[in-house]
Every structure is written in structure tokens, then in C-alpha cells.
């Protein structure tokens, strides 16, 4: 962590702000030209302030100024060497980030990450400045999904800069709570960092509760046989992958911060806060790992149930086909039995003068016996083959 800002009576105060005095010229800027600009010459645009959520200067844990722009913030911070600037930005422009980099000597690699966004959670140190990337999360009740946001935090000897690239997290509550606790806020920028870490981690709690409720609903839908449950399991599994990417790196990040307690002389109260945040992160990470395993098990159970249902349907279709085959056999057997006398009767029913059987006295009983014999024979044949 960064060293705590020294008090005015401590000699370290002059040393801590040397880089700031040398980084900015102390000579006054050149006087503006007296000639009037041409009407065709575009006038310089004022410094953009649309992305500034709030900027404030603090001394001994108390707000002493609320500048309206970055330029005013820089000017007032120079006038108060013992103050701390807390600047909150939302989706800042490149010009704003470049002005911050020039004022606070931010490293170009950290600045590039802040411009690009879509970074993994990480903690990097560039000289006296810490660069922290956090992934916040919030649970949306209406669509029943998890929305992830990204937050970049620059922590220097006397400044904290937060760069937000999404709606979450809302740091106004963090600022309000810190201002209500001046004894904590006067501990410096690292106290603000711990408060931001705590707010991000606390934001995971409703997400965990929402996901747990979703998993309970999914289990009910699985055993109810809902056909859309597989899609919901897959979508929630993807969200849990993102959740793991947000929480897992935080564990190692917080352990790195705790490892630097002695080296950077972190206040004991802040040490306790950080340990508490680390415990919450570890608990959340374990819950997320459990959610992923539970979803994998549910997906396996759902696949098994779907397979069983398909097998039952195939079995029912096979039984229906077998029954149909049995009916077809019976119909075919009776059709064959009835076809035999029809054939004999048709032959002897032809009225031709030259048919030899027409003058035969035994022709009629012979035809009857022949039809009966054929029918009985076919009946026993089909009966023996279980067609009848």
C-alpha cells in the first residue's frame, strides 16, 4: 500500500510532495495575447466536466472544497499541500485521463488500461501510485441475471481517482460513509481504497442471494420437466464463470496488500478492515465455486432426466408400433382367410358354356368343401404363428 500522508509538522511532508512541485512548473503562464481573435478562429472549448461524478478536497478527514472541474481540482490541490483529492469519473474522455496523467504522474501502462477497460481484476504498483482494477456485480431482479461492472482506482500519496466504466458500482454511498467518519477518512488515500474494496465486496452479497434463489428455482424446473431449463442453466453457468473471474483474483490481491502492512506502515485499524474484506471475499469466492459445481451437477441430472424421458417416449412408441403390428397381422390373416373362398367362388361363378364343372353333379359340394378346407387350413396356420 502507499505510505500514509504525513502530518504538517512531520518533515516527511516536504519529501512526499517534491515530485508534485517538480512535475508542474511554478512559473506563471504567459500572458494572453492582447489582439482579438478572428471571427473565423474557433474559441478554445472549456475543460470537459460531463464525466466528473464528484471531485472533492479533504483535510484531516473533512471536506474543504468541492471543485467544479478537473482544472479547479488541480489548482486547489496545489494550494493545499496537506490535502487529499478524491476524484470520481464515469466513462471519462481521453483528454480527461491525459490531464489526470499529467497532473498526478500516472504511468502510461495504467492509463492505457483505464482507457481500454475490459480488464481483469488486478493490483499493480507504479512508483508511489497503486493501480487497482475491480469487477463489481449487481443482481437484476426483472431479467434474473447478473450485471458486471468495471472500476479502476488510482491511489497516490495524496489523491484517489476512481474511473467507472459502467453503472455499477455506485460510490456515492462510499463517499458519504467516509465523510461521516472523519477519523477514518483522515488516514489517507489507502483508507478510501479499503472502503471501495469493502463496497465492491459487499455488493456481491445480494448477487450471491439472487443466484442461490435462481438455482433453487432451476432445481424445481428440472424435476418438473421444463423444456427451457437447459438454456437457463447454461446462461447462469456463464454468469458464474464471470463471477469467478471477478472474485478469484481479489483473494490474491488482498493478500498482497496484507503482505505490505509492515513495509508501508499501514494503520492497525485499516489492517483490521482489510482482513475483514479478505474474509468476505474468500467466503464469496467459495460460494461461487460451489454454485458452479452445483450447476454442473444439475445439468448432469437434467441430461439424465431428459434421456430417461426420451427412452420412455421411445419405449411407448415401440409398444404402440408393436400393438399396431399385431392388429395388422390379425387384419391380414382374416383378409387372407376370406380371400380364399372369394377366389374359389369367383372362379366357379363365371358363366361359360365350355366349363367342364357346370354339368358335374358334385361340383357344388366340392366347391363348398374346397372353400371350407382352405379357410380352415389358413386359420390354423395363422393361429400357430400367433397372428390370430
Amino acid at each position: 500500500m502507499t505510505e500514509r500522508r504525513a502530518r504538517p509538522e512531520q518533515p516527511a511532508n516536504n519529501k512526499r510532495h517534491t515530485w508534485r512541485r517538480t512535475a508542474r512548473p511554478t512559473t506563471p503562464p504567459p500572458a494572453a495575447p492582447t489582439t482579438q481573435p478572428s471571427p473565423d478562429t474557433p474559441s478554445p472549448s472549456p475543460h470537459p466536466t460531463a464525466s466528473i461524478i464528484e471531485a472533492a478536497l479533504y483535510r484531516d478527514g473533512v471536506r474543504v472544497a468541492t471543485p467544479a472541474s478537473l482544472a479547479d481540482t488541480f489548482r486547489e490541490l496545489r494550494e493545499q499541500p496537506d490535502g487529499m483529492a478524491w476524484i470520481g469519473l464515469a466513462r471519462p474522455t481521453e483528454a480527461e485521463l491525459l490531464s489526470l496523467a499529467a497532473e498526478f504522474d500516472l504511468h502510461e501502462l495504467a492509463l492505457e488500461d483505464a482507457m481500454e477497460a475490459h480488464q481483469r481484476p488486478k493490483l499493480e504498483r507504479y512508483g508511489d501510485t497503486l493501480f487497482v482494477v475491480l469487477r463489481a456485480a449487481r443482481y437484476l431482479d426483472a431479467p434474473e441475471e447478473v450485471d458486471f461492472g468495471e472500476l479502476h482506482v488510482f491511489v497516490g500519496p495524496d489523491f484517489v481517482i476512481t474511473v467507472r466504466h459502467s453503472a455499477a458500482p455506485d460510490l456515492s454511498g462510499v463517499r458519504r460513509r467516509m465523510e461521516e467518519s472523519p477519523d477514518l477518512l483522515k488516514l489517507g488515500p489507502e483508507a478510501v481504497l479499503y472502503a471501495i474494496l469493502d463496497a465492491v465486496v459487499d455488493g456481491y452479497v445480494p448477487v450471491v442471494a439472487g443466484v442461490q434463489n435462481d438455482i433453487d428455482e432451476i432445481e424445481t424446473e428440472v424435476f418438473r420437466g421444463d423444456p427451457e431449463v437447459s438454456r437457463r442453466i447454461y446462461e447462469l453457468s456463464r454468469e458464474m464463470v464471470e463471477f469467478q473471474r471477478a472474485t478469484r483474483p481479489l483473494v490474491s490481491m488482498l493478500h498482497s496488500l496484507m503482505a505490505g502492512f509492515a513495509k508501508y506502515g499501514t494503520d492497525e485499524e485499516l489492517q483490521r478492515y482489510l482482513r475483514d474484506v479478505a474474509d468476505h471475499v474468500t467466503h464469496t469466492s467459495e460460494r461461487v465455486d460451489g454454485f458452479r459445481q452445483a450447476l454442473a451437477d444439475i445439468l448432469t441430472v437434467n441430461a439424465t432426466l431428459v434421456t430417461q424421458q426420451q427412452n420412455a417416449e421411445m419405449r411407448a412408441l415401440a409398444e404402440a408400433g408393436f400393438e399396431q403390428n399385431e392388429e395388422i397381422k390379425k387384419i391380414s390373416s382374416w383378409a387372407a382367410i376370406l380371400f380364399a373362398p372369394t377366389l374359389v367362388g369367383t372362379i366357379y361363378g363365371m358363366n361359360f358354356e365350355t366349363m367342364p364343372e357346370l354339368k358335374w353333379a358334385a361340383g357344388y359340394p366340392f366347391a363348398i368343401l374346397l372353400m371350407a378346407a382352405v379357410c380352415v387350413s389358413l386359420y390354423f396356420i395363422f393361429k400357430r404363428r400367433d397372428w390370430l
Side-chain angles (χ1 to χ4, degrees):
M1 292 299 302
T2 57
E3 297 180 1
R4 285 174 31 195
R5 182 165 37 82
R7 297 292 183 268
E9 65 272 9
Q10 292 177 345
N13 182 47
N14 295 332
K15 181 179 179 181
R16 289 182 63 85
H17 293 278
T18 302
W19 69 271
R20 292 191 55 198
R21 289 198 299 272
T22 57
R24 292 187 294 274
T26 56
T27 58
T34 57
T35 58
Q36 296 294 328
S38 171
D40 298 332
T41 304
S43 59
S45 59
H47 197 281
T49 60
S51 63
I52 300 178
I53 300 175
E54 189 172 5
L57 265 67
Y58 300 89
R59 176 184 291 176
D60 292 331
V62 179
R63 182 185 293 216
V64 294
T66 306
S69 66
L70 289 179
D72 294 340
T73 304
F74 301 155
R75 176 179 53 80
E76 296 194 24
L77 185 59
R78 296 190 198 108
E79 295 173 356
Q80 300 191 34
D82 298 325
M84 179 191 73
W86 184 352
I87 303 172
L89 304 175
R91 298 183 179 92
T93 64
E94 183 176 352
E96 289 172 335
L97 290 177
L98 289 176
S99 66
L100 289 170
E103 181 70 21
F104 296 110
D105 195 23
L106 304 180
H107 197 276
E108 58 182 5
L109 294 179
L111 188 66
E112 181 180 355
D113 289 343
M115 290 180 181
E116 293 292 334
H118 303 293
Q119 302 292 323
R120 63 175 180 81
K122 61 182 178 179
L123 170 68
E124 295 180 350
R125 179 178 293 278
Y126 299 97
D128 290 337
T129 303
L130 276 179
F131 177 61
V132 182
V133 179
L134 301 173
R135 295 293 304 277
R138 58 176 181 167
Y139 186 81
L140 305 179
D141 292 323
E144 293 186 336
E145 62 183 22
V146 183
D147 178 50
F148 295 94
E150 187 168 338
L151 176 67
H152 298 174
V153 185
F154 295 91
V155 182
D158 54 0
F159 66 88
V160 176
I161 303 171
T162 60
V163 180
R164 201 177 68 191
H165 292 278
S166 57
D170 182 9
L171 299 180
S172 59
V174 177
R175 187 186 293 267
R176 183 170 57 255
R177 288 192 297 271
M178 291 296 289
E179 290 180 351
E180 292 173 354
S181 304
D183 291 339
L184 181 61
L185 184 56
K186 71 179 181 181
L187 295 178
E190 58 186 9
V192 177
L193 174 61
Y194 291 167
I196 294 173
L197 287 170
D198 185 59
V200 171
V201 174
D202 286 346
Y204 295 153
V205 175
V207 178
V208 170
V211 171
Q212 181 64 66
N213 184 63
D214 287 346
I215 291 177
D216 294 340
E217 292 179 357
I218 286 175
E219 290 178 343
T220 303
E221 293 173 358
V222 164
F223 290 101
R224 190 189 302 162
D226 192 335
E228 296 294 330
V229 70
S230 297
R231 180 183 182 88
R232 189 176 181 187
I233 294 173
Y234 176 72
E235 292 176 349
L236 189 56
S237 297
R238 290 183 58 186
E239 292 177 354
M240 290 305 97
V241 171
E242 290 296 323
F243 208 177
Q244 278 186 325
R245 292 174 181 172
T247 56
R248 275 188 176 179
L250 275 180
V251 178
S252 59
M253 288 169 54
L254 292 173
H255 282 105
S256 297
L257 289 175
M258 289 189 293
F261 282 165
K263 180 178 180 180
Y264 298 102
T266 304
D267 185 85
E268 292 184 1
E269 185 70 12
L270 294 181
Q271 293 184 27
R272 285 191 289 269
Y273 286 151
L274 185 62
R275 292 191 186 97
D276 182 68
V277 174
D279 291 340
H280 291 172
V281 170
T282 302
H283 176 70
T284 301
S285 181
E286 292 174 351
R287 291 291 302 276
V288 175
D289 292 342
F291 288 157
R292 281 206 65 187
Q293 184 61 44
L295 288 171
D297 295 339
I298 293 174
L299 189 60
T300 301
V301 171
N302 182 63
T304 303
L305 294 176
V306 170
T307 302
Q308 291 178 350
Q309 183 179 1
Q310 291 176 346
N311 291 338
E313 292 175 354
M314 292 296 295
R315 189 181 303 109
L317 290 175
E319 292 176 354
F322 177 77
E323 293 177 358
Q324 291 177 355
N325 289 337
E326 292 299 317
E327 295 297 328
I328 291 173
K329 287 179 181 180
K330 294 178 181 179
I331 295 172
S332 300
S333 300
W334 287 113
I337 292 172
L338 295 176
F339 175 74
T342 303
L343 178 62
V344 175
T346 303
I347 293 175
Y348 283 94
M350 293 186 294
N351 300 320
F352 293 104
E353 292 290 340
T354 58
M355 289 181 66
E357 294 84 359
L358 294 177
K359 305 295 184 180
W360 187 30
Y364 177 74
F366 175 77
I368 296 299
L369 290 175
L370 178 60
M371 288 188 288
V374 173
C375 291
V376 171
S377 299
L378 290 175
Y379 176 81
F380 281 108
I381 292 173
F382 293 140
K383 192 69 173 177
R384 183 181 302 173
R385 295 184 178 179
D386 292 331
W387 282 34
L388 292 175

